[in-house]
Amino acid sequence: MNPPEVSGVGSFIRFEWPEANVRAVLERVTNHKDKVTAEVTILNLRSDGTTGHLLMEQMNLLAGRTKAEVANRLTEKRADVDWPTLVEQFCVMVIRKIRAGEPVQKLGGTTTLPPMLWQAQDLLPLKAPVMFFGDGDTGKSVLALGLACCIQYGLNELGLKVKQDNVLYLDWETDFHDQERRVLMLQNGFMLQNHPLLSYRRCHRPLADDIDEIHRLVLEGDIGYLVIDSLGAAAGTELKEAEAALQFYQAFRSLDRGGLIIHHMPKDGKGPYGTVYFRNYARSVFEIRKYQEPGDTGISIAMRHDKMNNGPKLRPIGWRLEFTQDAITIERKALKRMPELAEFADLKGRIEAELTKGAKLVKDIGANLNSPQSSISTALGRNPETFIHQRDGTWGLRAEEEEK
């Protein structure tokens, strides 16, 4: 019998023997001290693409008697298959796989520098955990859902070039009805028709406790990207203890996929809530702040890049979310055009926002921004593509001056 075709994610592994029309699915594969166990399902592969059930069994993959008994039971149902060989194949391959772990790779063998790889250009690194954190009701989930739609649909909107992938939204906070409404409103905002569907799952258990089932969903749904909403419930234990972060990220890493993780911040507003390991294990972290006037039908959002492992941090990013009766629109905006959030910008952005009101002297800019004149002068001098020094001694915005 030829070796099987093998695919899998984490503890969910699937084997197929096309010449025998057989599939073996091993779930909850676990390496114990003295045995390796798995839930094994054996299926017939029919010509019309459907499957027929042959056996489901909890197996010790090292137990010769168990393997022989399973092969005998299968022979009683289909005598045309070499079941002892087939059973031995998947048992040996699984044991070798989980004991070997990841392969050793050699570093430094390429002659050119590999490029940075992105799920969404400059914002979401490929196959990496990214965190958005902020107070409740700041638009984090709506923005994350909008980004998920762009990835699912392959939309290069919002000023981002995306890599298309199937997305799985894992939700510990709301339910299908609420998220279905949001997605339909976002689709209306993007003016989409005939689009692929976004996968959604309402979750109850912590990610680490539910990871075996999520392995199956990821493989069978051909999922390439995930959204975790939100981290507090997904971590599932005392968030100030390092163990909470270690268990969460160990489970997340086993998926071998990238993901956007939504999280909250403490009352003092300093960093993500809980142990520092939540921030440390994420490869990129953004703080989210919002501004909304009473009666305003939209919200203004500022994102500050708090951490980036592979490359420079981005300048603060502005977003405007508008809500109508049947649509949500998301627009990326420069913070200089959002004076209500200008204090959240970096110094260059705050100066830009200040100069949108008109050209000013360095001393006046410093006084208005409560910043030293030396810092203002340095920022102005380092950014000649943005600022222009005028004959009367004031500084203005180059683009606006050139438009005149």
Side-chain angles (χ1 to χ4, degrees):
M1 180 174 289
N2 293 324
E5 299 171 359
V6 185
S7 57
V9 176
S11 62
F12 183 88
I13 308 172
R14 185 169 58 199
F15 299 85
E16 288 194 6
W17 292 263
E19 74 277 15
N21 294 318
V22 171
R23 175 184 295 163
V25 178
L26 279 71
E27 302 179 68
R28 292 169 171 79
V29 178
T30 307
N31 190 14
H32 305 273
K33 183 178 180 180
D34 57 350
K35 60 183 177 181
V36 178
T37 61
E39 294 178 8
V40 180
T41 302
I42 309 296
L43 303 166
N44 268 325
L45 300 179
R46 300 185 179 125
S47 58
D48 62 359
T50 62
T51 60
H53 181 83
L54 290 174
L55 177 140
M56 185 174 184
E57 182 81 17
Q58 174 78 29
M59 286 185 64
N60 175 2
L61 305 185
L62 286 168
R65 178 179 295 180
T66 300
K67 290 187 283 187
E69 290 175 353
V70 167
N72 289 336
R73 289 168 59 192
L74 289 165
T75 301
E76 293 174 359
K77 297 183 178 183
R78 271 192 63 184
D80 62 316
V81 177
D82 182 2
W83 291 111
T85 299
L86 186 148
V87 171
E88 186 68 16
Q89 279 184 343
F90 72 68
C91 287
V92 170
M93 293 178 76
V94 168
I95 291 167
R96 287 177 176 172
K97 179 181 186 299
I98 65 171
R99 288 184 174 175
E102 296 290 331
V104 173
Q105 297 174 283
K106 300 296 185 181
L107 297 173
T110 57
T111 57
T112 57
L113 186 66
M116 276 287 293
L117 300 177
W118 300 94
Q119 193 75 51
Q121 187 71 37
D122 297 327
L123 187 69
L124 305 176
L126 190 68
K127 295 184 73 171
V130 177
M131 180 186 292
F132 285 3
F133 77 93
D135 283 332
D137 191 33
T138 53
K140 302 185 298 295
S141 294
V142 176
L143 182 58
L145 197 57
L147 292 169
C149 288
C150 287
I151 294 169
Q152 178 70 53
Y153 311 147
L155 289 177
N156 293 321
E157 299 284 343
L158 311 182
L160 300 169
K161 182 179 179 180
V162 303
K163 176 184 178 293
Q164 193 282 326
D165 264 317
N166 293 328
V167 178
L168 175 60
Y169 199 105
L170 299 174
D171 187 0
W172 279 262
E173 293 205 355
T174 58
D175 57 26
F176 176 82
H177 177 270
D178 286 349
Q179 297 291 28
E180 173 77 345
R181 179 176 171 80
R182 283 178 173 176
V183 167
L184 292 176
M185 293 177 72
L186 285 164
Q187 289 171 355
N188 291 339
F190 287 129
M191 293 184 289
L192 287 175
Q193 293 181 345
N194 301 321
H195 47 75
L197 299 180
L198 187 75
S199 296
Y200 171 87
R201 184 174 188 260
R202 188 169 185 254
C203 298
H204 303 275
R205 296 191 292 162
L207 182 69
D209 294 345
D210 206 15
I211 196 63
D212 293 309
E213 180 63 15
I214 294 172
H215 286 154
R216 183 186 68 80
L217 296 173
V218 166
L219 180 65
E220 294 187 345
D222 192 25
I223 301 300
Y225 199 77
L226 298 101
V227 178
I228 307 290
D229 189 4
S230 62
L231 180 58
T237 185
E238 176 50 58
L239 299 186
K240 294 184 179 180
E241 299 295 329
E243 187 64 21
L246 298 178
Q247 289 182 0
F248 172 82
Y249 280 110
Q250 184 179 37
F252 184 90
R253 187 173 175 82
S254 73
L255 295 165
D256 195 28
R257 304 291 190 276
L260 178 54
I261 301 163
I262 310 303
H263 194 29
H264 298 280
M265 65 194 314
K267 292 180 180 180
D268 62 13
K270 296 180 180 179
Y273 184 83
T275 173
V276 69
Y277 284 99
F278 282 123
R279 177 183 181 276
N280 289 351
Y281 273 96
R283 301 296 87 190
S284 185
V285 178
F286 291 89
E287 180 182 355
I288 308 291
R289 295 288 181 93
K290 83 160 187 179
Y291 180 86
Q292 184 177 30
E293 289 281 359
D296 191 352
T297 59
I299 59 175
S300 299
I301 294 176
M303 288 175 53
R304 182 180 65 83
H305 206 179
D306 179 64
K307 174 196 172 184
M308 178 61 173
N309 278 67
N310 298 315
K313 292 192 291 187
L314 297 175
R315 294 188 62 201
I317 301 170
W319 303 92
R320 178 67 183 175
L321 277 59
E322 289 285 352
F323 301 83
T324 65
Q325 186 173 356
D326 60 357
I328 299 173
T329 58
I330 303 176
E331 180 185 4
R332 187 167 176 171
K333 299 188 69 173
L335 283 184
K336 69 178 181 181
R337 303 299 181 190
M338 305 171 75
E340 67 274 19
L341 289 168
E343 73 278 3
F344 198 60
D346 56 10
L347 182 58
K348 178 186 175 185
R350 292 168 62 209
I351 295 173
E352 287 183 85
E354 182 66 21
L355 294 183
T356 58
K357 306 170 188 176
K360 292 182 175 61
L361 296 169
V362 169
K363 66 175 183 178
D364 295 327
I365 299 172
N368 291 345
L369 298 183
N370 195 27
S371 295
Q373 292 186 39
S374 59
S375 299
I376 300 295
S377 296
T378 298
L380 292 167
R382 284 180 175 174
N383 295 279
E385 75 287 351
T386 304
F387 306 115
I388 184 170
H389 196 199
Q390 304 183 115
R391 292 181 179 179
D392 61 359
T394 63
W395 286 84
L397 294 173
R398 181 172 295 279
E400 294 184 356
E401 292 300 317
E402 291 174 352
E403 288 175 3
K404 295 178 182 178

